[in-house]
Amino acid sequence: MTRRVRRWVLAVGGAGLAALLVAACPALPPFGGATHPYGDRVVHESLARQTANTIASVNFDQRAFDTLGELGILFASVIGTVVLLRQTRDERRAAPEPAAVSLPVRRYALIVLPVALLTGLYVVAHGQLSPGGGFQGGVVAATALHLLYLGADYRALENVRPIGLYEVGDALAASGYLVTGFAGLLGGTAFLANTLLPYGTFNTLASGGTVPLLNAAIGMEVACAVVVLLARFLDQAVEIEKESGS
Amino acid sequence: MMSVLPYLVAVWIFLTGCYGIVTSRNLIHAVGCLAVCQSATYVLLLAVGYRDGGTAPVFSDVEPGSRPVVDPVVQALALTDVVVGATVTALLLALVIQVSKRHGTVDPDELSELRG
């Protein structure tokens, strides 16, 4: 198919799709309207279980089973990336060379690193109370480690980041989520049901039953997954090169 | 008009992304366009859940019942959407690296022939 024909197909198909989507818009509930039946019920249930952050309550309590599926997607994509970006037979691994880093960059990166790491852990720990949670905090903590790559060099990053440990941590966090789910089953209720632990006092760290546990498992899983993913991409960019003469 | 404008914005972002994917001459650019398509779904989800005068559905500093809050269900869905989008992008970029190594090009038009 030539580019010209393809553009015509796109124009016809796109115009049809645009017309259908625009025609569908007036049938949606009006923007900013007051009727949100699901939202009202979710807020009510979340407050009944002493979880201040309703979104954490949706993710780790009311829809905890869907989050298990999301965890599976994340886990599978990490495995897929590790398999796709492995070192092949015609490639070799070159030792990364130390590079000069200008002083302000080095100073700034090394000052911000502990602050960013602590912020990430704070966001994970307070997931059931304030905006944030395992997904967001995990990404912050994982990227904080990579400031070392900016501030020092790749070897320094590799020293604080034994990749095998993070792969194990990824798997442990995923199984921790499952085990918490099965604990609900053994406790006489249902898989991932939040009935096992006391709900605690509203707006304190230990409130929400199993929400903080599942949240912490997700935080660890996401942090490890991001570290492993970035390590594979950085390996491709920095270390792995084609063998000469092949 | 105001009651449908955010939905129309979502439609526009989605179609822009589609146009980018079809006319793309670089696979990395195509992956970026797919991310644009996906951001249309964030706009759509958050627009569906908005309530006039509403604040975030987090009660650590808001007294429950004192203010209207936006719909937390779609916010959680948008979070899921972001996570899945990031993982899909990572996997696609890994595929692009392999395509570039095996075929020496990332132009989809030059990748038409099969190679064993």
Side-chain angles (χ1 to χ4, degrees), chain B:
Chain B
M1 181 61 196
M2 195 46 220
S3 67
V4 293
L5 184 64
Y7 303 134
L8 294 176
V9 170
V11 169
W12 178 69
I13 297 175
F14 181 77
L15 292 172
T16 309
C18 287
Y19 174 80
I21 292 176
V22 175
T23 58
S24 173
R25 313 203 72 162
N26 184 320
L27 286 177
I28 296 175
H29 171 259
V31 174
C33 292
L34 188 67
V36 172
C37 276
Q38 191 159 27
S39 43
T41 60
Y42 311 154
V43 175
L44 179 67
L45 281 172
L46 296 180
V48 167
Y50 185 68
R51 193 195 290 257
D52 279 329
T55 183
V58 176
F59 296 103
S60 53
D61 52 359
V62 175
E63 190 64 29
S66 63
R67 281 187 69 179
V69 292
V70 299
D71 193 334
V73 179
V74 289
Q75 301 228 334
L77 286 177
L79 175 61
T80 308
D81 202 351
V82 171
V83 174
V84 172
T87 56
V88 166
T89 305
L91 205 55
L92 286 175
L93 288 177
L95 280 169
V96 172
I97 289 181
Q98 285 301 337
V99 165
S100 153
K101 276 189 195 170
R102 302 291 150 223
H103 298 270
T105 175
V106 287
D107 185 344
D109 287 348
E110 291 175 20
L111 291 170
S112 47
E113 84 266 33
L114 286 172
R115 209 187 296 173

Side-chain angles (χ1 to χ4, degrees), chain A residues 8-55:
Chain A
W8 273 108
V9 172
L10 171 69
V12 173
L17 182 63
L20 287 175
L21 286 175
V22 169
C25 281
L28 282 166
F31 177 70
T35 21
H36 292 282
Y38 293 109
D40 293 339
R41 283 168 175 77
V42 161
V43 168
H44 180 261
E45 281 304 310
S46 167
L47 292 176
R49 294 188 166 185
Q50 312 289 348
T51 315
N53 183 355
T54 21
I55 297 151

Side-chain angles (χ1 to χ4, degrees), chain A residues 4 29 31 66 70 82-85 88 104 107 126 132-133 137 148 172 177 182 217 224 234 237-238 241:
Chain A
R4 204 183 155 75
F31 177 70
D66 298 338
E70 196 181 342
V82 167
V83 169
L84 277 172
L85 296 182
T88 51
R107 200 183 292 145
H126 288 71
L148 207 57
L172 274 182
Y177 196 98
F182 280 119
C224 293
L234 282 174
V238 180
E241 43 189 55

Side-chain angles (χ1 to χ4, degrees), chain A residues 88-188:
Chain A
T88 51
R89 250 174 305 174
D90 54 346
E91 287 169 342
R92 65 190 176 84
R93 204 168 262 268
E97 310 247 322
V101 183
S102 66
L103 194 61
V105 174
R106 174 183 293 257
R107 200 183 292 145
Y108 177 73
L110 294 184
I111 290 173
V112 170
L113 196 156
V115 179
L117 193 60
L118 195 65
T119 309
L121 295 178
Y122 172 88
V123 171
V124 174
H126 288 71
Q128 66 277 20
L129 305 179
S130 51
F135 289 109
Q136 300 91 326
V139 174
V140 174
T143 42
L145 280 185
H146 291 84
L147 283 171
L148 207 57
Y149 176 52
L150 294 182
D153 58 18
Y154 195 58
R155 281 190 302 182
L157 176 64
E158 280 189 324
N159 284 338
V160 300
R161 192 205 58 187
I163 207 68
L165 263 186
Y166 285 91
E167 284 168 353
V168 172
D170 198 3
L172 274 182
S175 33
Y177 196 98
L178 272 176
V179 166
T180 314
F182 280 119
L185 206 58
L186 290 178

Side-chain angles (χ1 to χ4, degrees), chain A residues 49-52 124-129 194 196-213 215:
Chain A
R49 294 188 166 185
Q50 312 289 348
T51 315
V124 174
H126 288 71
Q128 66 277 20
L129 305 179
N194 185 7
L196 203 59
L197 297 174
Y199 297 134
T201 315
F202 188 72
N203 213 359
T204 54
L205 265 185
S207 61
T210 51
V211 169
L213 293 182
N215 185 41

